[in-house]
Amino acid sequence: MFTVRCILGSSAWRHRIRLQNRMSTRSVAAVCQVTATPDKEANFSACKQLVEDAKEQGASMVFLPEGFDYIGSSREETLSLSESLTGDTISRYTKLARKLEVWLSLGGFHERGHEWETDRRIYNSHIIVNDKGDIVSVYRKSHLFDVELPEKGVSLKESAFTIPGPSLVSPVQTPIGKVGLGICYDLRFPELSLALQRDGAEILTYPSAFTVATGAAHWEVLLRARAIESQCFVVAAAQVGRHHEKRSSYGHALAVDPWGEVLGDCGGENPGMVLVEINLEKVSSTRRNMPVQQHRRDTGFYHSLEKT
């Protein structure tokens, strides 16, 4: 089972603890919720405090959301604030991981593309850092959020400045289990979660900055669906609240078990985190008792409808 503690943040990033179930000594993950702005220094300070608090409370891996580094107010600002993986921002996080001896999921970094000097385009990159401060995996977001919902006030075109990632990456062995990497809009594509599950994922993670309108309609149901169909734990760090005058995020950083039960929710108002304990026997027992993957037909079967 998961056991859950919610730590809710105030505007000064001081936290109060609500103990829901007693924590044991098993592996603990911290799923964070932040309100990033264009101020990179303030964002780092806030995230650093969360990571430190999580480590103090026993977390061995901390999950930060998409845009943990910043959320720009314009295309120009977003591009100008971007960095490479060897820049100051990631360097500070690798040093933090090494100092605290904690793993980090940096869930959506504005990484300058390989042809930055000529095309000024970036990747949306999910970076895993181990407790020695090494970058052990980088996944670049493959599904870009180009959506116009005028009746909902949603208009975003990520592809205007972002390069789609070239491929998925294999799940990463971490202290809490094998973690499969996605980012935000990837959540809407079950093919991705099933591919990661087939490659050994026990935990799926979707760090996000969901809009308020799409979050209210789809966030929880999509996360629960991905957990149920893959029979994996799902952890989803989130952005929350108003980033600047043009953008706000839904929040509700979530933890879900392989049966689809929501085990922790940070709510839709304040920064903070949910601490969850993962027992991978829950993955094994769920897959053993309902062997969906064994019942799955070969790929050709699911394409047979297209041939008739």
Side-chain angles (χ1 to χ4, degrees):
M1 283 293 295
F2 268 107
T3 53
V4 180
R5 271 190 298 192
C6 285
I7 301 176
L8 303 179
S10 67
S11 59
W13 292 89
R14 296 185 182 275
H15 312 296
R16 60 184 174 83
I17 298 174
R18 177 162 58 90
L19 183 63
Q20 294 180 319
N21 291 296
R22 185 171 180 175
M23 299 291 289
S24 76
T25 58
R26 296 179 185 269
S27 296
V28 175
V31 189
C32 296
Q33 182 160 288
V34 305
T35 307
T37 71
D39 187 336
K40 293 167 72 173
E41 189 61 37
N43 297 335
F44 177 75
S45 178
C47 289
K48 178 175 179 285
Q49 185 65 60
L50 278 177
V51 174
E52 290 173 343
D53 289 352
K55 174 63 178 181
E56 183 180 352
Q57 300 302 325
S60 55
M61 187 164 186
V62 183
F63 292 79
L64 293 173
E66 181 182 36
F68 69 94
D69 50 349
Y70 63 89
I71 292 183
S73 60
S74 67
R75 171 179 174 170
E76 292 72 23
E77 184 174 53
T78 298
L79 291 173
S80 67
L81 292 173
S82 66
E83 300 178 26
S84 72
L85 293 180
T86 58
D88 181 63
T89 295
I90 297 304
S91 175
R92 296 174 81 177
Y93 278 100
T94 58
K95 290 176 181 176
L96 181 65
R98 182 167 59 251
K99 176 184 176 182
L100 297 179
E101 298 183 324
V102 66
W103 283 62
L104 299 178
S105 162
L106 305 177
F109 172 69
H110 298 82
E111 179 195 1
R112 292 188 173 182
H114 303 309
E115 304 298 327
W116 168 257
E117 296 300 330
T118 56
D119 66 9
R120 287 182 60 81
R121 290 170 65 80
I122 62 176
Y123 290 108
N124 187 339
S125 301
H126 186 164
I127 303 161
I128 302 297
V129 180
N130 69 15
D131 57 356
K132 297 178 177 62
D134 304 317
I135 295 175
V136 295
S137 186
V138 179
Y139 164 68
R140 296 174 173 95
K141 188 177 182 182
S142 49
H143 301 97
L144 302 183
F145 190 74
D146 287 2
V147 175
E148 297 283 344
L149 302 172
E151 71 282 3
K152 301 288 187 182
V154 175
S155 178
L156 288 169
K157 190 174 179 62
E158 192 173 16
S159 68
F161 52 85
T162 305
I163 309 163
S167 65
L168 304 182
V169 299
S170 293
V172 181
Q173 184 65 61
T174 77
I176 64 170
K178 294 192 74 173
V179 178
L181 308 182
I183 303 174
C184 201
Y185 192 50
D186 288 332
L187 175 60
R188 295 183 180 273
F189 300 87
E191 301 90 339
L192 183 148
S193 64
L194 292 174
L196 293 172
Q197 191 275 341
R198 286 193 299 270
D199 202 38
E202 299 160 313
I203 302 151
L204 300 175
T205 185
Y206 296 99
S208 298
F210 254 57
T211 70
V212 174
T214 58
H218 300 150
W219 174 245
E220 180 179 317
V221 69
L222 284 170
L223 289 168
R224 294 181 68 193
R226 296 297 83 86
I228 292 166
E229 70 200 6
S230 67
Q231 299 176 315
C232 289
F233 286 110
V234 171
V235 295
Q239 293 281 349
V240 67
R242 193 169 182 82
H243 309 292
H244 46 71
E245 63 180 13
K246 298 178 182 178
R247 187 169 175 185
S248 298
S249 291
Y250 178 65
H252 293 276
L254 227 60
V256 185
D257 81 358
W259 190 249
E261 180 182 359
V262 174
L263 299 169
D265 183 340
C266 273
E269 296 182 1
N270 299 311
M273 63 184 163
V274 58
L275 295 178
V276 295
E277 179 190 288
I278 299 175
N279 181 356
L280 294 178
E281 174 55 30
K282 181 70 173 180
V283 176
S284 300
S285 63
T286 300
R287 294 178 181 180
R288 181 172 61 249
N289 296 338
M290 187 178 288
V292 174
Q293 306 310 322
Q294 294 178 35
H295 299 157
R296 193 176 301 280
R297 303 289 291 271
D298 63 80
T299 303
F301 175 82
Y302 297 104
H303 290 289
S304 62
L305 188 64
E306 301 171 6
K307 299 176 183 179
T308 59

